[in-house]
Amino acid sequence: MATIKTREIHYTAQDGQSLIGYFAAPEADIPVAGVIVAPEWWGRNEYTEQRARELAEHGYAALALDMYGEKKVTTQSDQAYEWMMQTFEDPDTIVNRAAAGLQVLAEQAEVNPEKLAAIGFCYGGKVVLDLARSNAPLQAVATFHANLSPKAPAQEGQVQAEILVMHGELDSMVTLDDVASFKHEMQQAKVAHEVIVFENAKHGFSNPLADERAQANAVDLGYNAEAEKQSLAAMYELLARRLG
């Protein structure tokens, strides 16, 4: 594992919102591929930052996005829902804030701007999928228990990324019908994609705190260690293949 460094980066989205990303990168002599990490609806919390550090340990520069501003975080689902819905009020907010994060990542001295990717969890999965649908310069996108519904369906020639979607079979928030609709969207747009469905996995399967959050908020989440392990391995395989 590489020795890493971390810092916060302040940036501003097109809508004027001040955002604070969490940057992690390996101590390297040459610029490396960059990956944005879009958070669950809880905000840019320790879990998101942990995933960024892990990417840095694997040799990538990573920026954990702040989608709400001022790095706001919560453990309360009603607050998370309120903040998330605020980013849906204007249909361009999600893509504009994610694009601002991708741009600031690409501008860092540690990053090779020709090699960019994005990963996202739950709400963050929708964030990076909509970013990919917007023709962002991404080589790869990987999502974990993502909201798959598009701001607007992908159009042929408008998605540069290869997309990997990882979904829990028992996810009650994003159904297998939703997964089928997503596959159809990708096929119609001729996007290179793969969907992996994990047995006995619920929404939130990648987060070790999912059971605790489920109990505290009476929401149907569940951690699945095997699905977490397999999904991260699949993500790293995609990143290695697409980013070199």
Side-chain angles (χ1 to χ4, degrees), residues 28-91:
D29 296 329
I30 58 171
V32 299
V35 183
I36 58 171
V37 183
E40 297 173 296
W41 68 348
W42 312 114
R44 198 211 87 186
N45 58 13
E46 169 58 30
Y47 175 76
T48 326
E49 295 167 7
Q50 171 199 333
R51 295 302 185 200
R53 289 192 297 271
E54 289 168 359
L55 282 158
E57 289 168 354
H58 281 80
Y60 303 99
L63 182 72
L65 299 183
D66 174 13
M67 290 299 295
Y68 298 150
E70 308 304 330
K71 62 179 181 182
K72 289 189 296 195
V73 297
T74 184
T75 58
Q76 302 299 314
S77 61
D78 55 350
Q79 179 66 80
Y81 179 80
E82 180 184 329
W83 288 342
M84 179 182 75
M85 293 309 293
Q86 287 171 0
T87 68
F88 291 159
E89 288 172 3
D90 182 321

Side-chain angles (χ1 to χ4, degrees), residues 140-154:
V141 166
T143 71
F144 302 76
H145 37 90
N147 175 340
L148 302 172
S149 62
K151 180 186 91 165

Side-chain angles (χ1 to χ4, degrees), residues 151-173:
K151 180 186 91 165
Q155 300 299 310
E156 186 174 346
Q158 292 296 302
V159 178
Q160 301 180 37
E162 179 178 339
I163 293 177
L164 172 63
V165 162
M166 288 164 292
H167 180 75
E169 178 189 30
L170 304 181
D171 192 326
S172 63
M173 300 184 189

